[in-house]
Amino acid sequence: MAIEKQFACPLPHGIHARPASALEEVARGFAADIIIVNHRTRRAADAKSILALVGADIRHLDACSLTCSGPDEQQAMAFLSNFLENQFPLCDQPTATVSPGPPEPTLPPCLAGAECSIYPGARAVGGIGLGRVVQAGGFRVPLALTEASVADPAEEWHNLLGVLGKVQASYENRLAQAGSGIEFNLLKVHRAITRDAEFRRQLQIAVRERHRSAAGAIADTEARFTRDLGASESPLLRDRALDIQDVCRELLRQRYGIELGVESVELTVDSIVVAESLTPGQFLGLNRMFLKGLALTEGGNASHTVILARSFNVPTLVGVRNLPTLHAAEAAVDADLGALIAPLTPPALRYYEMERRRLDERSARLREMSQKAGEGGLRIEANIAIPEEAAQAFAAGADGVGLFRTEMIFLGRLSPPDEQEQFECYRQALNAAAGKPVVIRTLDVGGDKLLPYLNLASESNPLLGYRAMRIYREFEAIFRTQLRALIRASAFGRLKIMIPLLATVEEARWVKKTVAQEQKACADAGLDFDQTMPVGAMIEVPAAALSLEHLSKELDFFSIGSNDLLQYIMGADRGSRRLQSLYQPTQPAFLRALHQIIDACHRGDGKISLCGEMGGEIRLLPLLAGSGLDAISASAPLIAGLRAEWAGLDLPECRQLWMEALDCRTEEEVAARVAQFSANRAAPLLDVELVLWNPDAATKEEAIKLAADRLFVMGRTDSPRAVEEAIWQRERQSSTGFGNGFAIPHCKTNAMRGNSVVVLKLAAPIPWDAIDGRPVQFVVLLAIRETDGAVNHLKILARLARLLTDDEFRARLEGEASAGSLCDFLRARLDG
């Protein structure tokens, strides 16, 4: 006999993703049927289906009833009653704010006058891609199939049920062959949808009660869940609508023998795919040889489509609104700028050709410089979040993986990954490493990274709360599963396990004991693994930093988590804009803490590295190189630049810089000392590679962009757009057309790494609003660091101006036959 309980929804934001997941997790532990009815909407939901719970649209204080019926109904009701009263109210989250949409980007001068349409979008995957627009349609089912009459609904449902079984079996087979990674996770999600009770129930109702054809039932079910999930407050649930579309498309293909549900998208030339939404299956069906960019109206960073785009490095924008029909138009996805530019006019095409050359030449120079980085000294390793990133990191020259964050394997799903899935994922990264070390951090969730299936309560100070290492004892089964996967994977490379947020010797001993137990279990099962696999920890809290002498006797290595350690040392929330002056890695107190940590670790013969944002700041590399760290790690795109910088450093000079920084009393003193070190190492004001011989610039805007781009290529700045804007701030005040065919654009900006002069001997004169009205063919650009002061800037600018008033000097410049001779002559006169 069924048992019923009445209750009012206690959640201020209703039953959305997280509470639905928590309720489903509890309900599925019982054999009884568990139904929740929302009396306001009169919708009933199977509590073992997250899709059904979200679809019931249960809001704050809605009157609801809970019914349990089945063999263990008494136990189920007792447990659920307690859960609803004591735990369920803690599952709520603040309502997601509605984004006003991406802001209008500030266009570079070359592009501002190109007369293109600009469609702002939020950057999901960085980069620039050019190609012809291909519009991708959404989910479509031909009316002839949806409206077909059904003679026998029972037989139609029987046939559709068989198709569901075939699709589920297809996912099982593909999972067995997929190995690991993004596609593996995607298949697991799709398999879960085919097994979801509410998904099947909606299909059955459509066929058996409304006498819909299989196609009509699939179309109705897709529309129902797309509507319900689209209204969810959870980005995770909203993005799952695309996965449901993929499953529905596969059902149609299996039932009717042809691919239905989407318009075919074939790429035969470099293409930009534009769509309201794109399912993961559609993405995987695209020819990635020609896929150069995505512009989507829907989708977020957690969607499987965006995750796939990131793993294949496809520039992607989301939230692009008001898109017109642009089929076959030339367009650019400029994710760095945050806009889709379409259609491309001739000036815009010229601009993006300049952008392509800028990026290609910079990449080539970084590769060349990074190959000069010698062996020994500081190791430069990579931070990755998915195994697919490892190949990119090693191609850039990474000495290893210093931090593999495993959270991505656990996020965006309704249950934790099993041992085999994790094992395949870790093995994939080790295979890419080809013998180089890979440090894999165990699960770091809780705090600001919540997993619905853990049902962790909200906390007022989550970053100091129940997270990372601190949840392992409660969720020991999940931790042990991850350890077994890691231990098995250790047979395939140099794997090191790293524990996050460890603070005490007791925690270290518990971890080592648990690892030893799982290693013994693997040995008893006859599994291969590395018996010498190192186990280390993150140094993120002051307690660990102050306990290193004792922790070094328990663990094999350490890595400083600079992001958390800095905010805890300074007592400054790294997310607070008002505290940014405190949250600086050049704070003397923080540097002294690093010094103590490094010394303590080395006294115990341990290895110490640093990960976090500090490790990716090129300006701080000399400081870190001199600190005694064994390694730093940074995101893969930064590796080549860091290695190029490391190739030009002198280690004894870096050690001297470190000791001087430790003596500084203020953050400003440290920053000034670091900047002075960089200035002292700066390349000469002018060298031959800053002389552009006969470049093709059609306008003043293009000439200034060419000069700023050259500074970027040669490593004189990491922000060419900032330099360009600084030049234009002066240019808008008064033209720098000096007369007699010469211009001297100039700026002061700390976007420069060193004072520089760029010379352009243009292929043809261009208008410049010069004082004598003549076009300009010689451009001498002066860029000075702002901290070097006005005196230095004016001194060099005045000298240039005096030289250019000399007829003989100008004639000599115009008459030089090569970039080298022009550089030698001008440099000698500027130094003289």
Side-chain angles (χ1 to χ4, degrees), residues 235-281:
L236 170 62
L237 264 290
R238 290 198 299 270
D239 290 335
R240 287 301 79 83
L242 298 176
D243 296 303
I244 286 175
Q245 288 179 11
D246 264 342
V247 172
C248 289
R249 182 180 64 170
E250 185 65 14
L251 289 172
L252 289 165
R253 191 186 70 80
Q254 288 280 359
R255 173 66 176 83
Y256 296 97
I258 55 175
E259 182 140 349
L260 300 170
V262 291
E263 297 174 3
S264 177
V265 179
E266 294 186 10
L267 308 183
T268 56
V269 297
D270 289 353
S271 302
I272 302 297
V273 173
V274 173
E276 284 193 12
S277 63
L278 196 72
T279 71

Side-chain angles (χ1 to χ4, degrees), residues 406 410 422 426 442-443 478-486:
T406 57
F410 290 79
Q422 292 189 60
Y426 307 144
T442 52
L443 182 61
I478 292 177
F479 180 55
R480 286 181 178 271
T481 297
Q482 184 172 33
L483 286 182
R484 286 194 299 274
L486 290 165

Side-chain angles (χ1 to χ4, degrees), residues 141-401:
V141 184
L143 278 176
L145 289 177
T146 60
E147 301 300 328
S149 60
V150 176
D152 187 344
E155 182 180 0
E156 187 78 358
W157 170 241
H158 176 77
N159 291 336
L160 182 52
L161 198 58
V163 170
L164 266 168
K166 286 181 182 179
V167 171
Q168 185 175 325
S170 170
Y171 288 139
E172 297 281 1
N173 292 335
R174 290 162 64 187
L175 274 166
Q177 301 169 9
S180 64
I182 299 298
E183 293 186 41
F184 182 85
N185 294 336
L186 177 62
L187 288 168
K188 290 200 74 173
V189 170
H190 289 182
R191 181 186 63 180
I193 291 171
T194 65
R195 300 190 300 198
D196 187 273
E198 183 63 14
F199 182 75
R200 289 186 167 221
R201 192 175 78 86
Q202 290 299 322
L203 289 171
Q204 184 178 21
I205 290 172
V207 174
R208 303 203 67 162
E209 297 182 13
R210 298 201 300 272
H211 295 186
R212 296 282 276 161
S213 66
I218 293 167
D220 290 356
T221 301
E222 182 277 329
R224 157 77 184 269
F225 285 118
T226 294
R227 181 192 70 238
D228 291 348
L229 295 175
S232 171
E233 295 167 1
S234 165
L236 170 62
L237 264 290
R238 290 198 299 270
D239 290 335
R240 287 301 79 83
L242 298 176
D243 296 303
I244 286 175
Q245 288 179 11
D246 264 342
V247 172
C248 289
R249 182 180 64 170
E250 185 65 14
L251 289 172
L252 289 165
R253 191 186 70 80
Q254 288 280 359
R255 173 66 176 83
Y256 296 97
I258 55 175
E259 182 140 349
L260 300 170
V262 291
E263 297 174 3
S264 177
V265 179
E266 294 186 10
L267 308 183
T268 56
V269 297
D270 289 353
S271 302
I272 302 297
V273 173
V274 173
E276 284 193 12
S277 63
L278 196 72
T279 71
Q282 284 178 286
F283 179 92
L284 291 172
L286 296 172
N287 186 337
R288 289 189 292 277
M289 177 186 298
F290 297 118
L291 179 61
K292 302 304 177 184
L294 292 177
L296 307 174
T297 300
E298 305 296 336
N301 286 328
S303 78
H304 283 120
T305 302
V306 168
I307 293 171
L308 285 167
R310 189 176 296 119
S311 69
F312 291 109
N313 199 29
V314 177
T316 301
L317 295 168
V318 296
V320 185
R321 307 290 176 187
N322 303 317
L323 285 172
T325 300
L326 296 165
H327 191 76
E330 289 290 328
V333 165
D334 192 334
D336 296 339
L337 184 63
L340 172 72
I341 316 293
L344 293 180
T345 59
L349 284 168
R350 285 178 61 86
Y351 171 80
Y352 280 110
E353 176 59 25
M354 294 169 72
E355 284 288 87
R356 183 193 62 77
R357 285 199 305 269
R358 173 177 72 87
L359 296 172
D360 287 351
E361 290 174 9
R362 168 79 164 198
S363 295
R365 178 170 173 80
L366 288 180
R367 284 195 301 271
E368 177 188 350
M369 293 294 295
S370 67
Q371 290 170 1
K372 297 177 182 179
E375 296 296 326
L378 189 70
R379 293 169 54 83
I380 297 175
E381 300 177 332
N383 296 337
I384 66 173
I386 56 175
E388 288 83 356
E389 289 181 301
Q392 178 190 357
F394 289 115
D399 294 314
V401 171

Side-chain angles (χ1 to χ4, degrees), residues 588-644:
F590 182 64
L591 295 183
R592 291 180 192 121
L594 293 185
H595 185 64
Q596 292 179 28
I597 292 168
I598 295 165
D599 275 4
C601 189
H602 285 164
R603 283 197 304 272
D605 295 324
K607 294 292 184 182
I608 182 77
S609 62
L610 180 142
C611 58
E613 294 177 7
M614 185 182 187
E617 289 196 47
I618 287 182
R619 72 183 180 95
L620 299 181
L621 185 62
L623 201 62
L624 295 178
S627 69
L629 284 166
D630 298 297
I632 61 169
S633 59
S635 62
L638 300 175
I639 297 296
L642 288 166
R643 283 183 59 83

Side-chain angles (χ1 to χ4, degrees), residues 620-802:
L620 299 181
L621 185 62
L623 201 62
L624 295 178
S627 69
L629 284 166
D630 298 297
I632 61 169
S633 59
S635 62
L638 300 175
I639 297 296
L642 288 166
R643 283 183 59 83
E645 183 76 4
W646 171 235
L649 290 176
D650 179 81
L651 193 53
E653 291 180 359
C654 293
R655 288 174 179 150
Q656 179 63 31
L657 171 65
W658 175 251
M659 298 311 296
E660 292 174 3
L662 292 176
D663 285 337
C664 291
R665 292 169 294 179
T666 67
E667 191 276 332
E668 290 83 358
E669 289 178 21
V670 176
R673 186 64 197 91
V674 170
Q676 188 59 47
F677 180 88
S678 178
N680 292 343
R681 293 179 52 249
L685 190 68
L686 173 65
D687 67 38
V688 68
E689 291 186 289
L690 293 178
V691 178
L692 299 181
W693 198 257
N694 292 333
D696 177 23
T699 64
K700 176 180 180 177
E701 288 79 7
E702 288 187 359
I704 289 174
K705 174 174 170 53
L706 279 173
D709 287 354
R710 195 62 186 170
L711 292 168
F712 173 74
V713 169
M714 299 309 300
R716 305 277 182 127
T717 181
D718 295 317
S719 305
R721 284 180 177 166
V723 173
E724 193 177 350
E725 178 55 29
I727 294 167
W728 277 103
Q729 284 178 5
R730 290 185 174 272
E731 198 68 34
R732 293 183 189 111
Q733 295 172 8
S734 60
S735 174
T736 56
F738 188 77
N740 296 303
F742 285 81
I744 319 176
H746 51 96
C747 69
K748 290 189 300 180
T749 172
N750 282 337
M752 291 295 300
R753 301 181 67 193
N755 300 339
S756 303
V757 169
V758 181
V759 179
L760 281 66
K761 184 179 181 181
L762 300 173
I766 58 175
W768 201 283
D769 299 322
I771 57 175
D772 60 359
R774 290 176 54 184
V776 163
Q777 191 160 12
F778 259 90
V779 178
V780 184
L781 183 142
L782 172 64
I784 300 293
R785 281 186 54 79
E786 191 168 7
T787 49
D788 288 350
V791 173
N792 205 3
H793 177 259
L794 291 174
K795 177 182 176 183
I796 301 173
L797 184 61
R799 184 161 186 79
L800 268 174
R802 286 197 303 272

Side-chain angles (χ1 to χ4, degrees), residues 461 463-464 540-542 562-576 578-584 587 589-590 593:
N461 196 345
L463 292 179
L464 291 179
E540 300 172 272
V541 295
S562 62
N563 296 351
D564 273 345
L565 185 62
L566 174 57
Q567 72 172 343
Y568 297 147
I569 290 288
M570 299 305 300
D573 183 350
R574 70 191 195 199
S576 171
R578 293 184 176 183
L579 299 180
Q580 284 305 296
S581 61
L582 285 176
Y583 187 76
Q584 293 296 327
Q587 282 286 353
F590 182 64

Side-chain angles (χ1 to χ4, degrees), residues 34-62:
I34 302 172
I35 303 297
I36 290 181
V37 176
N38 181 351
H39 294 299
R40 178 179 60 82
T41 62
R42 298 183 181 180
R43 292 180 189 172
D46 181 350
K48 298 177 183 179
S49 168
I50 293 174
L51 296 177
L53 289 167
V54 172
D57 189 24
I58 299 173
R59 300 175 186 173
H60 185 221
L61 298 181
D62 273 357

